[in-house]
Amino acid sequence: MCGIVGYIGKRQAYPVLVKGLHRLEYRGYDSAGVALISESGSLNVYKSQGKVSDLEDTAQNRDLTGCIGIAHTRWATHGEPGFLNAHPHLSQSGRLAIVHNGIIENYAALREMLLDHGYTFRSETDTEVVVQLIEYLQEKDGLPFVDSVQRALQMVEGSYAVAVLDIRRPDTIVAARKGSPLVVGAGDDEFFLGSDASPIVGYTDRVIYLDDEDMVVLRQGTDITLMSIRGERKTPQIRRVTMDVSQLEKGGYDHFMLKEICEQPQSLRSCLQSVRQTLTGPDAEHVFSLLEQADRVIITACGTSWHAGLVAKYAIERMARVPVEVDYASEFRYRQPVINPGDVVIAVSQSGETADTLAAIGMARKQGAKVLSVCNVIGSSIPRSSDVVVYTMAGPEIGVASTKAFTAQAATLTMLAIVWGHRRGTVSGQDYDSLMSEMDTLPELVGRVLDRKDDVRAMAQTLSFAPSCLYIGRGCNYPVALEGALKLKEISYIHAEGYPAAEMKHGPIALISQDMPVVTVATESAIYDKLVSNVQEIRARQGRVMAVVTEGDTEVARMADRCVAVPQVTECLSPILNIVPLQLLSYYVACLKGCDVDQPRNLAKSVTVE
Ligand code: AGP
């Protein structure tokens, strides 16, 4: 949550910062702001409530000169999302400016202490406390810029990625991280900062992923100085980042979400190739030497990634015959779970920065569990805190509603189940060969589902008038129902719930009426007949049924008000196809309702605070 950008070098900073903010806007869009040390030596701060485009309007015709600056796009934690709480925040004298992503837990005590020393506060944020504290330390102890930031960070508790400017040091940015991500880009005589690498690519491919409690001093025309917040010097590890800049643009689509839904044939192809290499190539022993110690697997994740974890439970239990529990990271980390030496934790995350998932794996490792992460963003915090990582390689996902990341996670975890089952002897050689080749056909089959957009649009017309909606499925398509419901509620604000179809009779069937459409995932499966009965029960109560069926289906298709057909695949692979029409459905409903698809209200893509 919140995105940070920084620049120091020979270019004008403002265009670099604003472009970077646009790329990080998925992290929050409550307000945006920029601080520049101008050519005349003044510290100019411009901010605005709302999106980065609002900031651009505000900053028009102002002094935007300067080759050094920091910027921020906010998802509000402390204080409402108004102008006063927008970053950057200034110190009392106006000499220092800060941008911050994270939460300062002891801010109330520090604020009290600073109030006692005559400091006043303009905002309700925890961030303002940090910049005032830095100034206080400069004034009280005569500390120079770098030392004052360092001392302040030793005093704050909580999580942060910060970047600080001091008008008296117009050649320096000081930045640091603990618990929130920060990446430095090293160009020729210029440096970039970003909450991820997206504001940096296109300028340089040389990046340094800061570790927790790292602090970096970026000085114009010199090298980077990297140290811990306790002052120990470190050698920067420069890595090459390969990101296709076109993946960060909408590429002719109206929304990132639609682009990302439509690029699933390519993202799945890239995912399957890479994951097959990881699970069956020379590195496979890293993965399986860890998994093969497992008496039990605990999958932990949040949101859509949790749904992919639930798909994995069905696949791993069915194929590898190892018991699997799936837990929300936010619950797992606090419920004092029993973790045994034979437990392996699988953490699933698109961003690799979700605070609860990160904390959950930290807790599990402390208690002796090994952690394998399934992650999309290379070099992010979750893989770096895991014993082994399998990257999903779906490419950058910008839309807040996760789509291509889900299909890549489900494909990755299903392939892991197949390969693991084969190694354990619970999947025969013949089944292994046929499942692995069937997986290779998935990208093309997803392409065929995408050709059914007109059928999905017709469904969307009906759903867009519904005040509420149920999604049902069974077996490995129960998580698909949950994920379909999440997609609808997060971008169209229509209340939706997912249920295992047979649970309807235990309560939710009481809700059935003409006004409560039921979206049913009813593709072929071992218990297709049971699902047909569940659909009949809904029809018998005048419920309206929208169904995802297998091509050639007549039974459910006959009962449903509207249908979309998907190609037939083996049941354990079906979630990867069946979710695609539900992604499109939520997209079209949101568009019909005029919702902001890529930036739904109250949300941010990366939940880096708990
Ligand atoms: C779903 O569309 C959301 N973007 C959200 O539920 C997301 O899946 C969740 O916050 C977890 O994020 P992660 O995969 O980056 O850890």
Side-chain angles (χ1 to χ4, degrees):
M1 336 227 62
C2 303
I4 286 182
V5 195
Y7 177 77
I8 181 164
K10 53 210 173 192
R11 304 169 199 254
Q12 287 295 305
Y14 179 75
V16 178
L17 296 172
V18 165
K19 191 168 174 189
L21 285 184
H22 276 298
R23 290 195 177 157
L24 289 181
E25 215 169 3
Y26 73 87
R27 300 177 70 88
Y29 31 82
D30 287 335
S31 63
V34 60
L36 300 159
I37 300 183
S38 74
E39 280 163 5
S40 62
S42 57
L43 178 56
N44 294 328
V45 175
Y46 308 113
K47 34 192 190 181
S48 155
Q49 182 168 354
K51 300 191 177 182
V52 179
S53 51
D54 297 309
L55 168 68
E56 287 177 283
D57 292 343
T58 305
Q60 242 177 19
N61 306 321
R62 313 289 285 272
D63 178 2
L64 299 176
T65 63
C67 299
I68 171 170
I70 54 177
H72 188 267
T73 179
R74 177 168 189 248
W75 188 88
T77 55
H78 287 66
E80 62 176 38
F83 174 82
L84 278 183
N85 292 327
H87 299 217
H89 289 286
L90 291 171
S91 63
Q92 184 100 328
S93 69
R95 282 199 317 266
L96 299 163
I98 192 169
V99 290
H100 167 221
N101 167 28
I103 291 182
I104 304 301
E105 285 160 6
N106 60 340
Y107 87 102
L110 293 170
R111 196 169 196 265
E112 281 303 307
M113 184 273 282
L114 290 163
L115 283 168
D116 286 348
H117 285 88
Y119 282 78
T120 53
F121 290 84
R122 301 173 192 98
S123 78
E124 299 159 309
T125 64
D126 50 343
T127 307
E128 195 183 359
V129 167
V130 184
V131 73
Q132 301 279 41
L133 180 63
I134 297 168
E135 181 160 296
Y136 167 71
L137 294 168
Q138 290 189 353
E139 287 182 353
K140 179 176 85 71
D141 298 336
L143 293 180
F145 181 30
V146 175
D147 303 58
S148 62
V149 177
Q150 194 172 65
R151 179 79 65 80
L153 294 179
Q154 289 165 4
M155 292 170 68
V156 302
E157 289 162 18
S159 62
Y160 54 78
V162 288
V164 191
L165 291 182
D166 184 336
I167 198 172
R168 294 178 301 190
R169 295 305 310 265
D171 61 343
T172 305
I173 299 177
V174 182
R177 71 155 278 186
K178 181 182 168 195
S180 301
L182 201 55
V183 185
V184 178
D188 295 332
D189 294 328
E190 59 181 352
F191 299 114
F192 303 82
L193 278 171
S195 294
D196 65 28
S198 65
I200 298 168
V201 290
Y203 300 106
T204 177
D205 63 354
R206 298 167 71 232
V207 298
I208 301 153
Y209 294 100
L210 296 191
D211 283 326
D212 261 355
E213 307 206 350
D214 274 358
M215 188 170 124
V216 71
V217 181
L218 307 174
R219 275 204 190 95
Q220 204 144 21
T222 66
D223 268 349
I224 297 164
T225 309
L226 180 67
M227 62 188 97
S228 78
I229 60 161
R230 283 167 306 284
E232 298 116 10
R233 281 300 185 101
K234 297 177 76 174
T235 309
Q237 302 294 321
I238 298 202
R239 295 173 204 280
R240 300 268 168 191
V241 65
T242 46
M243 199 187 281
D244 177 359
V245 182
S246 69
Q247 291 192 303
L248 304 172
E249 316 290 342
K250 283 191 205 147
Y253 287 90
D254 287 342
H255 297 99
F256 278 110
M257 182 182 179
L258 183 60
K259 174 181 177 241
E260 287 159 5
I261 292 172
C262 292
E263 70 192 16
Q264 286 178 108
Q266 299 89 287
S267 58
L268 263 176
R269 199 166 287 119
S270 135
C271 165
L272 290 168
Q273 263 168 16
S274 164
V275 173
R276 185 190 274 256
Q277 173 68 19
T278 311
L279 298 181
T280 61
D283 287 342
E285 289 321 306
H286 292 308
V287 176
F288 289 104
S289 61
L290 187 145
L291 284 178
E292 280 161 8
Q293 300 164 21
D295 298 325
R296 177 178 70 149
V297 168
I298 302 168
I299 299 180
T300 192
C302 301
T304 290
S305 297
W306 186 85
H307 297 151
L310 211 50
V311 170
K313 175 183 167 74
Y314 285 88
I316 295 173
E317 290 192 337
R318 175 169 235 168
M319 285 183 275
R321 308 299 299 151
V322 176
V324 180
E325 285 179 20
V326 188
D327 217 342
Y328 286 115
S330 54
E331 291 298 313
F332 180 66
R333 64 182 286 198
Y334 287 121
R335 73 175 166 80
Q336 299 183 312
V338 178
I339 298 176
N340 297 314
D343 288 337
V344 167
V345 171
I346 300 183
V348 188
S349 176
Q350 187 287 129
S351 63
E353 300 295 347
T354 300
D356 282 320
T357 311
L358 191 56
I361 64 176
M363 185 271 286
R365 285 185 89 189
K366 259 198 201 138
Q367 295 188 36
K370 295 280 182 211
V371 175
L372 178 149
S373 57
V374 171
C375 190
N376 196 38
V377 178
I378 295 173
S380 55
S381 302
I382 289 171
R384 291 194 305 141
S385 310
S386 306
D387 296 287
V388 178
V389 55
V390 180
Y391 282 113
T392 52
M393 302 304 281
E397 189 180 67
I398 313 289
V400 166
S402 191
T403 53
K404 65 176 182 172
F406 175 82
T407 45
Q409 290 165 340
T412 300
L413 289 157
T414 303
M415 189 180 274
L416 181 140
I418 297 167
V419 178
W420 194 7
H422 184 229
R423 291 174 68 112
R424 282 172 58 85
T426 46
V427 170
S428 70
Q430 203 183 353
D431 286 348
Y432 173 81
D433 290 343
S434 102
L435 284 165
M436 292 295 268
S437 18
E438 200 177 353
M439 287 210 88
D440 288 338
T441 66
L442 286 172
E444 191 215 316
L445 299 184
V446 166
R448 256 164 66 188
V449 179
L450 290 168
D451 291 340
R452 305 274 152 77
K453 286 193 187 77
D454 287 345
D455 295 339
V456 184
R457 271 199 201 97
M459 276 187 184
Q461 293 286 351
T462 312
L463 243 64
S464 63
F465 295 106
S468 194
C469 183
L470 288 173
Y471 282 66
I472 59 170
R474 294 192 74 153
C476 59
N477 282 299
Y478 158 52
V480 172
L482 293 176
E483 173 60 7
L486 174 62
K487 288 287 89 83
L488 188 73
K489 62 189 147 195
E490 73 180 322
I491 60 164
S492 73
Y493 319 138
I494 294 177
H495 173 250
E497 295 301 331
Y499 275 99
E503 275 297 299
M504 289 293 287
K505 283 199 277 295
H506 299 280
I509 203 163
L511 293 167
I512 295 299
S513 77
Q514 283 280 317
D515 296 333
M516 173 75 87
V518 182
V519 179
T520 309
V521 187
T523 48
E524 258 175 39
S525 74
I527 50 169
Y528 174 78
D529 292 344
K530 309 270 177 206
L531 197 108
V532 170
S533 309
N534 301 141
V535 176
Q536 268 159 350
E537 287 154 10
I538 293 163
R539 289 300 292 167
R541 285 155 185 87
Q542 277 74 54
R544 281 183 305 162
V545 175
M546 319 278 131
V548 178
V549 296
T550 304
E551 285 171 356
D553 177 287
T554 48
E555 253 186 294
V556 172
R558 194 165 30 83
M559 286 186 282
D561 295 85
R562 293 207 179 273
C563 268
V564 54
V566 301
Q568 180 170 15
V569 283
T570 300
E571 188 179 347
C572 66
L573 307 186
S574 63
I576 299 159
L577 294 190
N578 293 349
I579 192 59
V580 177
L582 303 189
Q583 296 169 342
L584 284 170
L585 181 60
S586 62
Y587 174 77
Y588 290 129
V589 172
C591 289
L592 284 169
K593 293 191 72 191
C595 299
D596 190 342
V597 171
D598 281 334
Q599 294 175 338
R601 69 184 179 208
N602 304 338
L603 290 175
K605 182 144 190 78
S606 221
V607 184
T608 57
V609 293
E610 64 167 302

